[in-house]
Amino acid sequence: MDILLKYFSDFSPRQLQQFAALEDLYKDWNAKINVISRKDIDSLYEKHVLHSLSIAATVPFPDGVEIVDIGTGGGFPGVPLAIFFPNVKFHLVDSIGKKLKIIEAVKEAIGLDNVTTQHSRAEEIKGRKFDFAVSRAVAPLGDLLRWSKPLLRKGSFTIKEGDGSETVFRSGLICLKGGDLAEEINATGTRPRMIELSDLFEEEWFRDKYIVYV
Ligand SMILES: C[S@@+](CC[C@H](N)C(=O)[O-])C[C@H]1O[C@@H](n2cnc3c(N)ncnc32)[C@H](O)[C@@H]1O
């Protein structure tokens, strides 16, 4: 939990409680339904929660936007982001229904009312549109782009920075990926915005990990 406070200082008491509750909830539920490797569960806050929040450190989602998390598994990055952005709606989708049970239990336990879940393959979701898609460790970028395209409405929003400059964020796919991505990205013919997580977080584990924003 300390590692979150090292990088984020503005949590409300409610957010602090919600983040703190994740450790016991995930440890208990992971023993019943394995969603996090045994090796990684002790680094929940670094490898799962902070990793998910790298998206929050990069894209300040405005209130009211809707986000789909493709292949959310036990709720990453969707659950930490939903705690971070209480006024943003998150729809967490996975093709394996039992994994979503953990999310429903976490949601109930910490009162995460901006989260919905759906048991479906991403490419089979019909009649829903979102402002952004997020995803971690699910599929090659080409597949994620294909699956997310029909789910995304077109749009953009502008954030005024402290120094008066403005940054425009276009609706799109934001995914967490690692390793050598050149071939995977070239195959899509896109030129994503790449954010190196080692520029955000000093821990060794974040080396060679990126946010890919298309
Ligand atoms: C390696 S896990 C990652 C889970 C989570 N995003 C995380 O980082 O902890 C990949 C997940 O993607 C899901 N998945 C794979 N293909 C999918 C698809 N086409 N639609 C929805 N979920 C999918 C799998 O069921 C699995 O839960």
Side-chain angles (χ1 to χ4, degrees):
M1 182 69 190
D2 288 349
I3 199 168
L4 301 188
L5 303 176
K6 178 172 167 187
Y7 294 106
F8 297 95
S9 54
D10 285 340
F11 294 137
S12 68
R14 179 174 167 80
Q15 287 171 314
L16 286 173
Q17 269 177 358
Q18 290 174 319
F19 281 124
L22 295 182
E23 180 159 28
D24 284 348
L25 284 165
Y26 275 103
K27 279 192 172 155
D28 285 357
W29 276 95
N30 206 51
K32 295 178 220 161
I33 302 170
N34 194 261
V35 286
I36 295 173
S37 77
R38 299 261 185 278
K39 181 165 65 67
D40 279 0
I41 189 82
D42 289 331
S43 332
L44 177 79
Y45 287 102
E46 178 180 350
K47 297 185 180 171
H48 297 276
V49 181
L50 187 60
H51 193 205
S52 300
L53 293 184
S54 63
I55 294 177
T58 307
V59 187
F61 297 125
D63 288 357
V65 298
E66 293 180 277
I67 297 178
V68 60
D69 180 358
I70 295 176
T72 188
F76 299 98
V79 164
L81 290 174
I83 296 174
F84 192 95
F85 295 106
N87 300 317
V88 170
K89 287 186 184 155
F90 288 86
H91 191 58
L92 276 45
V93 176
D94 203 282
S95 54
I96 299 179
K98 71 174 182 186
K99 298 194 178 188
L100 301 174
K101 277 193 187 165
I102 299 196
I103 301 173
E104 288 297 332
V106 169
K107 180 182 155 176
E108 167 101 27
I110 65 174
L112 208 52
D113 41 28
N114 55 335
V115 166
T116 51
T117 59
Q118 182 176 354
H119 173 202
S120 173
R121 294 189 64 81
E123 57 273 42
E124 288 166 5
I125 299 174
K126 299 275 178 278
R128 293 287 313 259
K129 291 279 183 191
F130 302 89
D131 301 293
F132 293 92
V134 295
S135 192
R136 179 179 85 153
V138 174
L141 188 63
D143 290 342
L144 291 171
L145 281 169
R146 199 159 30 82
W147 300 341
S148 59
K149 198 171 175 205
L151 299 175
L152 292 172
R153 49 175 85 96
K154 287 200 165 59
S156 62
F157 63 92
T158 305
I159 295 291
K160 262 212 156 79
E161 309 288 351
D163 62 1
S165 64
E166 293 185 336
T167 309
V168 176
F169 294 93
R170 231 176 291 137
S171 294
L173 168 70
I174 301 168
C175 44
L176 293 167
K177 286 192 164 285
D180 185 357
L181 300 170
E183 222 170 278
E184 184 178 335
I185 291 173
N186 281 345
T188 68
T190 62
R191 299 187 57 172
R193 203 186 291 184
M194 303 283 291
I195 294 99
E196 281 198 57
L197 298 196
S198 55
D199 287 345
L200 300 176
F201 308 132
E202 66 179 2
E203 286 71 15
E204 177 68 20
W205 189 77
F206 292 102
R207 275 183 69 172
D208 289 333
K209 293 195 170 61
Y210 304 88
I211 291 175
V212 181
Y213 179 3
V214 196

